[in-house]
Amino acid sequence: MNMSTYSKFDKNIIWLNRVIITFLVLITLIPLIYVVIASFMDPATLINDGISFNPNDWTIQGYKKVLADNSILRGFLNSLFYSFTFSALTVFVTMLTAYPLSKSNLVGRKIIMTFFVITMFVGGGLIPTYLLIKKLGMLNSVWALIVPGSINVWNIILARTYFMALPDELAEAATIDGANDIQVLFKIMLPLAKPIMFVLFLYAFVGQWNSYFDAMIYIKDPKLEPLQLVLRNILIQNQPSQDMVGANTAMAEMKQIAELIKYATIVISSLPLIVMYPFFQKYFDKGVLVGSVKG
């Protein structure tokens, strides 16, 4: 960048932006680096002295203890299934809902959107939702984690805005050539909507991957537990209990183990998202920007 072509005011703004961006990068990276290093450190050194870059203070015992549990692999595979299935269903339902709502000639469009928006502020609550899932026969099944949250009003609004930004002439030309509404959607609009589809897929995947509360409420079979719930159970099992108050040595050891496992579980649960995001980044940036052009 040739700074000589800019005015003094523009140069100051550019340097201010650089300082702000650098600050934001640092406050994002420093906690991540801390967690990764802490996951490899000896718990006694971490608790007493903090982070150390001396390799002699590092250990992989936290990862060994976490990965030694056979439920980790099962929970990992369960989470992959839940996240991919939930994300695919979310994108499919959202596209089918958002495209008709983007058409100005849809009868009752404002009423439908008003009804959708109301659901963003008013919910049934935990107990009615639990009773509904129980009545539908989805309790203690994979569908309890996939179906209920697959329709998200915010996702519908994003996809609707994206479709509204696309030229109407595309659909009109396809209609003149003899295409019906279904063909226009699947052959014309959805290929053009790949950026927003990837954005919604990433949103849904991250949300489902990090979720554990729904599984804790609706899932009783350990074989169906997602990774986050499995890691939570492992962490709780290694926390010092109230019965160990008198045993100072045992309590200190349990505290060290719990500290080590805590950081190891954070790293393990974050790896799929870190690996996946670079492949979605170009779609993510384009989808968010284009979807915000027209409202």
Side-chain angles (χ1 to χ4, degrees):
M1 178 183 295
N2 187 5
M3 297 290 290
S4 61
T5 60
Y6 294 96
S7 66
K8 184 177 180 179
F9 177 79
D10 291 337
K11 291 179 181 179
N12 292 333
I13 293 298
I14 291 173
W15 281 109
L16 178 62
N17 288 337
R18 289 177 177 177
V19 171
I20 294 175
I21 292 174
T22 302
F23 175 74
L24 293 176
V25 170
L26 288 177
I27 64 175
T28 302
L29 287 180
I30 291 176
L32 293 176
I33 296 173
Y34 178 89
V35 169
V36 173
I37 296 177
S39 67
F40 287 100
M41 285 196 59
D42 178 72
T45 303
L46 180 62
I47 293 175
N48 297 325
D49 303 325
I51 290 293
S52 171
F53 292 95
N54 185 355
N56 295 327
D57 296 328
W58 293 5
T59 179
I60 58 173
Q61 292 302 317
Y63 289 97
K64 285 183 177 180
K65 187 169 183 63
V66 172
L67 296 177
D69 195 318
N70 295 328
S71 60
I72 291 290
L73 178 59
R74 183 175 63 245
F76 188 88
L77 296 177
N78 287 342
S79 287
L80 282 180
F81 173 76
Y82 294 146
S83 299
F84 274 107
T85 306
F86 175 80
S87 302
L89 180 61
T90 296
V91 172
F92 180 74
V93 173
T94 300
M95 292 296 107
L96 292 184
T97 307
Y99 177 66
L101 291 174
S102 68
K103 297 300 180 181
S104 58
N105 58 354
L106 176 66
V107 178
R109 184 179 69 158
K110 292 184 178 180
I111 297 176
I112 297 174
M113 282 305 304
T114 301
F115 176 78
F116 282 166
V117 171
I118 290 175
T119 63
M120 296 177 67
F121 302 97
V122 180
L126 178 60
I127 295 177
T129 303
Y130 180 89
L131 295 176
L132 176 61
I133 291 178
K134 183 178 180 180
K135 289 292 184 180
L136 293 175
M138 294 191 297
L139 201 62
N140 199 31
S141 70
V142 298
W143 304 113
L145 304 182
I146 296 174
V147 175
S150 59
I151 300 179
N152 187 292
V153 178
W154 176 246
N155 291 342
I156 293 174
I157 293 174
L158 286 178
R160 172 179 171 266
T161 304
Y162 187 94
F163 281 126
M164 291 174 66
L166 297 177
D168 295 333
E169 290 78 8
L170 294 173
E172 294 174 359
T175 303
I176 293 174
D177 290 338
N180 56 36
D181 293 334
I182 300 297
Q183 292 173 327
V184 170
L185 173 61
F186 284 94
K187 294 185 178 181
I188 306 296
M189 294 303 175
L190 290 187
L192 295 175
K194 285 183 180 179
I196 194 65
M197 291 172 65
F198 278 106
V199 170
L200 297 180
F201 187 93
L202 184 61
Y203 280 164
F205 189 95
V206 172
Q208 184 67 17
W209 182 268
N210 291 328
S211 175
Y212 73 92
F213 184 76
D214 288 348
M216 187 172 61
I217 298 299
Y218 303 127
I219 301 298
K220 304 302 179 185
D221 188 353
K223 295 182 179 180
L224 299 178
E225 291 180 348
L227 178 63
Q228 301 296 340
L229 188 57
V230 173
L231 295 178
R232 177 182 179 274
N233 293 337
I234 293 175
L235 189 59
I236 291 176
Q237 290 170 5
N238 287 275
Q239 290 287 347
S241 63
Q242 296 296 329
D243 299 334
M244 300 174 61
V245 174
N248 294 330
T249 302
M251 187 174 182
E253 292 179 355
M254 289 292 291
K255 184 178 180 180
Q256 292 177 4
I257 295 174
E259 192 74 9
L260 191 62
I261 290 177
K262 177 176 67 176
Y263 292 110
T265 56
I266 293 174
V267 174
I268 291 174
S269 61
S270 301
L271 277 178
L273 303 181
I274 296 174
V275 172
M276 186 176 66
Y277 181 76
F279 298 99
F280 284 75
Q281 183 178 2
K282 63 177 182 179
Y283 297 106
F284 185 84
D285 297 338
K286 183 178 179 182
V288 171
L289 291 176
V290 176
S292 62
V293 170
K294 184 178 180 181

